[in-house]
Amino acid sequence: MKNLTRRAIVAIGTSALTTVLVGRARAAGDDGPGVTSSEIKLGTTAYYSGPASTAAAYGLAQLAYFRMINDRGGINGRKINLISLDNAFSPPKAIEQTRKLVESDEVFAIAGSLGTPTNVAIQKYLNGKGVPNLFLTSGAERFNDPKEFPWIVPFYPIYAAQGALFARYILGERPAAKIAVQYENDDLGRDYVKGLKQGLGDKVGMIVKELSHELSDPTIDSQILDFKAAGADVLIQFTQSKFAAQGIRAAAALDWHPMHLIASNAGSIGTTFIPAGAQASAGVITATWERNPVDPTQLDHPAVKDFKAFAAKYMPNLDLNNAAALPGYNNAYMIEQVLRRCGDELTRANLLRQATTLKDITPPMFIDGIGVYNSPTDYRAIHHLQLTRFDGTGLAAIGKPVLLDEFG
């Protein structure tokens, strides 16, 4: 973020990043809050500080994407004014900032709000207000509840299904494994563990040690020592990049070399594998659904070239190994498509309708074979995952993308 303008730096200091926009006039009719003849005002929160601030690139990518869209004329003649506030990965902060967006800034919708505990904090509030939380970034199952929470629309692979996918891989590769499981003590970690155990079925006794940690913990090194002492030969970490990197380093320091799997949300070369050490990280398995812009096999793909051109112009200090920018970019792309589908009917009800009838819209930075679709009765949108292995340089695919629907 070294080259951010003085205004943006000041804005981050007050927990806000805002794009200021002007568009051409057009009658607003019966449009919803936050919509004028020249503007669509959206709001979101992301981690610009706190224990998960390595993911700040997510929010910055959203902002940068809509700057690009505005430079191209906006959406159906209107510019996008995205107000992105810092939730510091704190539930109380998330609800405070979201209330500000809805009640003071009067945004049309919340766009791609980041984080499981932070989205849990705002779920009831937004649903009660009838404000769409459009394509929130969390795979917790609780967000796919169209009956009770129709205004809460997720866009992320379900964590429980990812856990079950890891279980199937372990059973196939190491059927007599002794598994150690570490998870963060929140809905993200618990959903992953739930899926893992469902996937193991009557083999759940293969888990010899299971420990949780708090995101406020400074280190998890002692847990890695406990896992080794338990005789585990498979280590699974369902946590954030900071702790996954600690786990990789701690295992290497103990000269312990289990089959090591980490959650997709921590499977970043730039924020996990490189900080942990490329040599120590070699062989670690994760999952993805997005193209890697530094993968030598992807360099000539048009979508990768477009992403790099976007980053060079709108995020010049982005480390392309930082995977957090990709979901922000893809999320903003999906929001753009839904807004375009709304046409001139910019009501919250129509926005919800367009966002829950996805078909034949796939972000360009998704790898081939990833299905994207949902319905008003099932909001799950990403239906495949690709298992990968870090080879010391990049992420090498393990087989083909797997359909998550078979895991429930």
Side-chain angles (χ1 to χ4, degrees):
M1 295 192 291
K2 293 180 181 177
N3 289 346
L4 287 176
T5 64
R6 178 178 178 82
R7 174 172 183 156
I9 292 171
V10 171
I12 293 173
T14 58
S15 299
L17 287 168
T18 307
T19 55
V20 181
L21 313 155
V22 179
R24 65 184 178 85
R26 186 173 60 187
D30 296 324
D31 293 330
V35 177
T36 70
S37 60
S38 60
E39 176 185 272
I40 302 171
K41 187 189 295 183
L42 303 174
T44 192
T45 68
Y47 321 146
Y48 297 114
S49 64
S53 59
T54 53
Y58 172 94
L60 295 173
Q62 284 186 299
L63 288 161
Y65 187 92
F66 285 117
R67 285 198 297 272
M68 176 183 71
I69 293 302
N70 290 330
D71 286 348
R72 295 175 178 177
I75 296 175
N76 298 330
R78 291 178 170 95
K79 298 295 181 71
I80 304 301
N81 177 358
L82 175 64
I83 304 171
S84 184
L85 306 182
D86 183 14
N87 66 35
F89 206 50
S90 162
K93 188 71 171 179
I95 189 65
E96 172 193 341
Q97 299 286 48
T98 301
R99 284 183 182 275
K100 180 181 184 299
L101 290 168
V102 172
E103 298 172 18
S104 298
D105 297 310
E106 298 183 318
V107 298
F108 180 44
I110 301 299
S113 179
L114 179 62
T116 296
T118 46
N119 274 299
V120 169
I122 64 178
Q123 183 176 14
K124 289 182 180 179
Y125 169 74
L126 290 174
N127 196 70
K129 288 283 188 180
V131 178
N133 190 353
L134 183 61
F135 300 152
L136 67 93
T137 296
S138 170
E141 288 185 298
R142 64 180 294 148
F143 299 122
N144 181 29
D145 191 353
K147 183 176 179 181
E148 295 297 323
F149 296 96
W151 295 98
I152 309 303
V153 186
F155 189 78
Y156 206 82
I158 299 297
Y159 296 141
Q162 294 185 52
L165 173 60
F166 281 5
R168 190 173 79 174
Y169 179 78
I170 294 167
L171 290 172
E173 294 295 314
R174 197 166 293 188
K178 295 180 180 179
I179 304 171
V181 182
Q182 181 192 57
Y183 65 97
E184 62 184 70
N185 187 26
D186 60 17
D187 282 327
L188 178 147
R190 289 188 290 269
D191 274 12
Y192 269 119
V193 174
K194 173 185 173 183
L196 175 72
K197 290 180 177 179
Q198 289 175 338
L200 290 174
D202 61 5
K203 301 293 185 181
V204 71
M206 293 166 67
I207 299 175
V208 296
K209 195 77 172 180
E210 179 181 331
L211 296 173
S212 67
H213 74 90
E214 304 299 328
L215 289 172
S216 58
D217 291 344
T219 178
I220 48 82
D221 287 7
S222 63
Q223 293 188 347
I224 303 302
L225 184 61
D226 289 344
F227 291 143
K228 181 183 180 184
D233 57 11
V234 172
L235 171 61
I236 308 175
Q237 290 186 275
F238 295 135
T239 186
Q240 304 297 320
S241 285
K242 170 186 173 181
F243 300 104
Q246 288 182 2
I248 293 168
R249 287 196 301 267
L254 293 170
D255 196 26
W256 182 41
H257 305 287
M259 176 190 287
H260 197 160
L261 301 93
I262 63 173
S264 63
N265 56 286
S268 168
I269 296 173
T271 60
T272 298
F273 299 134
I274 291 177
Q279 183 175 354
S281 300
V284 175
I285 295 164
T286 186
T288 190
W289 56 97
E290 295 167 314
R291 299 184 189 280
N292 181 350
V294 296
D295 184 336
T297 67
Q298 295 283 314
L299 296 183
D300 292 329
H301 194 283
V304 172
K305 290 182 176 179
D306 288 346
F307 178 79
K308 287 185 172 180
F310 155 81
K313 183 173 181 179
Y314 293 98
M315 301 182 72
N317 291 307
L318 175 67
D319 178 354
L320 291 174
N321 280 311
N322 186 343
L326 283 175
Y329 177 88
N330 287 323
N331 185 278
Y333 172 89
M334 291 301 299
I335 292 169
E336 176 203 0
Q337 303 312 308
V338 169
L339 288 171
R340 291 193 185 281
R341 290 176 61 174
C342 286
D344 287 330
E345 190 182 344
L346 286 166
T347 64
R348 286 172 170 169
N350 189 40
L351 182 70
L352 180 66
R353 185 162 51 247
Q354 300 302 331
T356 57
T357 53
L358 296 179
K359 184 180 179 182
D360 301 326
I361 302 177
T362 303
M365 282 298 284
F366 274 26
I367 61 178
D368 296 335
I370 304 297
V372 179
Y373 47 88
N374 65 8
S375 75
T377 58
D378 186 354
Y379 285 177
R380 290 178 301 166
I382 299 175
H383 292 263
H384 297 79
L385 271 182
Q386 173 67 65
L387 286 173
T388 62
R389 180 182 288 107
F390 183 65
D391 61 11
T393 303
L395 293 170
I398 301 173
K400 296 181 179 180
V402 178
L403 179 66
L404 296 177
D405 296 10
E406 63 188 85
F407 299 115

